[in-house]
Amino acid sequence: MGDFRAPALDTVHLAIIGIGERSLAQIEQLVRIPHVELVGLCDLRPEAAEAAAARVQALCGMRPAIFSGDEAAYLRMLRELRPDAVIISTSWEQHAPMAVAVMEHGAHAFVEVPLATTLEGLWQVVDAAERTRRHCMMLENVNYGRDELMFLNMVRRGLIGELLHGEAAYIHELRQQMLTAGSWRDEHFIARNGNLYPTHGIGPIAQYMNIARGEDTFDRIVSFGSPAAGRELFAREHLPEGHPLRGVRFGCADINTSIIRTRLGRTILVQWDETSPRPYDRKNLIQGTRGTLAGFPTRMAGDFLEATAPPNPNPADGYDRDLHPWWCGPAAVEEMHARWDHPLYKRLGAQAAAIDSRGGMNYLLFSRIIECLHRGEPTDQNVYEGALWSAIAPLSEKSVHEGGTPQLFPDFTRGDRIHTAPLGIVE
């Protein structure tokens, strides 16, 4: 399934399972993309499905069918509508079984992160994709961020040389979600201990390195967690007496740090922290023999800059001319974009940013999905990549439980990755 091409679809008849805030934002974008028709919406709550259907009708004049009320509603939708593709935006535990059901009903599955929470579930999804010959792509939107696309373009041009090391993270302080009883993340923080949300950080790094596309793939991971202290402190100080999370013992570390070694000996630092009071960060650092690109803030350094745009450091900032300085700052970033923006962003970026609050990454993600289905081309992420990136969570949990013991990654491609082409630069 690495370079799998499905028959081209003149119009992609699309359905959605799970209508939450994320799905409502997706609807606003999907109705603006050519060659797609929203035919079905499914949610346990009839009022959520009804509100979403009304919004679709107001935007494009067509009303999708509604399926709701019980756990089997999505199966009725699959049988009755026979959609071409289905977006799954439900709780994590449902991702794998729903993706399998979608593919077994003849539709392509597009699944919110993660693809599954267990290795067993990931294998079930991979096996189903191979058995049914249907796309199953994890919806990792960060790969379509402007800077992530730009870095991919620069890496493919060879500007930073041979790739050696990457750093990925998801640092996002979300303690305020505890103020609402029943947040879906709480049960994971209570029962699990590892890197529970790795794909936003690792997805771009893996694509830069051509992981699971050619010779290299993830080999092993070691993982460690800090004490679990921040959420219990927040609960004591901010939650009222009687709140269901007050007094709960959280099992998950405040911050998890993991290191991945690839088959070719490259290293990747992966961190996750949704508890600590610190700024948002995905790191997005890729280092090669001729330079380094990094995010948060966007900056770069390398041999390729010396002859074209040397930095203008301020001695008052403690700059040492013997050190290799970062090329950064608003003017530098503007010049980076002018020189190295990805062709996809050049083509659709302004339109995407105008209707997508996340800088356009979601609109670009869905535009490319529909474009690939319409043209009969391979999707930008295949089922093996989604499985491999998602496997970090259960493997990190096992490593933490065993005191940092290295854990081997499965080869979900069964060796076939060697025949899969690197992700190209979409002109």
Side-chain angles (χ1 to χ4, degrees):
M1 302 298 292
D3 289 320
F4 172 67
R5 295 171 180 265
L9 298 167
D10 183 54
T11 299
V12 180
H13 298 98
L14 181 68
I16 299 177
I17 307 173
I19 308 298
E21 289 184 13
R22 186 151 180 78
S23 296
L24 292 173
Q26 292 169 353
I27 286 170
E28 297 279 342
Q29 296 155 26
L30 285 164
V31 297
R32 293 172 167 84
I33 298 173
H35 309 296
V36 63
E37 180 182 337
L38 273 172
V39 296
L41 300 172
C42 179
D43 196 274
L44 283 172
R45 304 158 299 160
E47 65 278 9
E50 173 62 36
R55 184 59 181 155
V56 173
Q57 187 171 19
L59 288 169
C60 66
M62 298 181 65
R63 181 179 176 84
I66 291 175
F67 296 82
S68 64
D70 61 74
E71 297 281 354
Y74 79 97
L75 295 173
R76 293 196 300 273
M77 180 177 73
L78 296 175
R79 288 194 302 267
E80 294 179 21
L81 296 185
R82 307 299 295 183
D84 298 315
V86 177
I87 293 173
I88 299 171
S89 297
T90 59
S91 62
W92 291 355
E93 296 83 359
Q94 294 174 306
H95 287 183
M98 284 185 170
V100 171
V102 164
M103 290 185 283
E104 288 180 340
H105 281 79
H108 303 296
F110 296 92
V111 188
E112 285 292 352
V113 302
L115 203 56
T117 59
T118 66
L119 294 181
E120 179 184 16
L122 293 170
W123 275 114
Q124 290 170 356
V125 171
V126 168
D127 291 344
E130 293 179 341
R131 182 175 66 251
T132 62
R133 309 305 292 169
R134 291 295 181 269
H135 288 296
C136 183
M137 175 177 159
M138 186 174 68
L139 297 173
E140 185 40 76
N141 60 346
V142 167
N143 287 59
Y144 295 86
R146 185 177 188 177
D147 286 353
E148 285 79 3
L149 286 171
M150 179 175 69
F151 288 3
L152 178 65
N153 189 31
M154 296 175 73
V155 166
R156 291 293 184 269
R157 293 186 183 201
L159 292 178
I160 65 169
E162 179 184 351
L163 303 185
L164 306 171
H165 173 74
E167 296 183 10
Y170 186 70
I171 311 295
H172 191 183
E173 192 270 298
L174 294 174
R175 293 174 301 171
Q176 70 277 5
Q177 291 184 345
M178 296 172 63
L179 299 174
T180 303
S183 170
W184 59 270
R185 293 180 190 252
D186 294 334
E187 59 189 82
H188 295 279
F189 281 105
I190 293 169
R192 302 168 64 190
N193 189 11
N195 183 330
L196 307 188
Y197 206 65
T199 68
H200 285 338
I202 200 63
I205 302 299
Q207 284 196 333
Y208 306 152
M209 290 185 172
N210 288 328
I211 297 298
R213 290 173 174 259
E215 294 183 13
D216 210 6
T217 190
F218 295 159
D219 177 46
R220 62 192 62 200
I221 184 173
V222 295
S223 187
F224 299 91
S226 73
R231 288 187 170 258
E232 292 179 29
L233 175 64
F234 185 87
R236 288 196 305 271
E237 294 183 345
H238 297 278
L239 301 182
E241 292 289 345
H243 192 284
L245 292 178
R246 191 178 173 95
V248 167
R249 177 102 179 151
F250 289 89
C252 199
D254 287 8
I255 181 168
N256 176 277
T257 299
S258 303
I259 297 176
I260 296 172
R261 190 188 74 179
T262 75
R263 294 278 179 91
L264 295 183
R266 296 161 169 166
T267 53
I268 307 174
L269 171 72
V270 191
Q271 290 187 311
W272 171 74
D273 184 348
E274 295 181 23
T275 299
S276 305
R278 54 182 290 192
Y280 183 92
D281 191 0
R282 295 196 302 268
K283 292 191 181 296
N284 191 33
L285 183 146
I286 185 70
Q287 179 177 329
T289 53
R290 294 187 177 278
T292 300
L293 313 175
F296 302 89
T298 304
R299 58 203 190 279
M300 55 185 66
D303 299 339
F304 65 97
L305 291 170
E306 292 180 358
T308 57
N312 185 23
N314 182 358
D317 294 333
Y319 168 69
D320 185 338
R321 66 181 181 181
D322 293 328
L323 301 179
H324 207 139
W326 286 113
W327 194 47
C328 58
V333 172
E334 184 177 351
E335 187 168 348
M336 291 176 205
H337 290 155
R339 291 185 182 189
W340 296 301
D341 255 341
H342 192 289
L344 179 63
Y345 192 87
K346 289 180 180 178
R347 175 161 60 96
L348 294 174
Q351 178 182 350
I355 62 174
D356 180 0
S357 62
R358 284 181 167 84
M361 62 174 66
N362 289 320
Y363 183 84
L364 292 174
L365 163 69
F366 287 114
S367 292
R368 275 296 294 157
I369 287 172
I370 300 304
E371 193 169 76
C372 291
L373 295 179
H374 175 66
R375 296 177 176 177
E377 298 176 348
T379 54
D380 294 342
Q381 300 164 33
N382 59 52
V383 66
Y384 307 122
E385 292 170 297
L388 193 62
W389 306 348
S390 298
I392 292 171
L395 290 175
S396 69
E397 290 180 77
K398 193 168 189 294
S399 181
V400 168
H401 180 70
E402 296 178 1
T405 302
Q407 305 296 319
L408 297 179
F409 281 89
D411 181 3
F412 292 104
T413 76
R414 300 176 174 92
D416 195 56
R417 70 180 186 278
I418 198 71
H419 304 296
T420 302
L423 177 65
I425 299 301
V426 181
E427 297 294 344

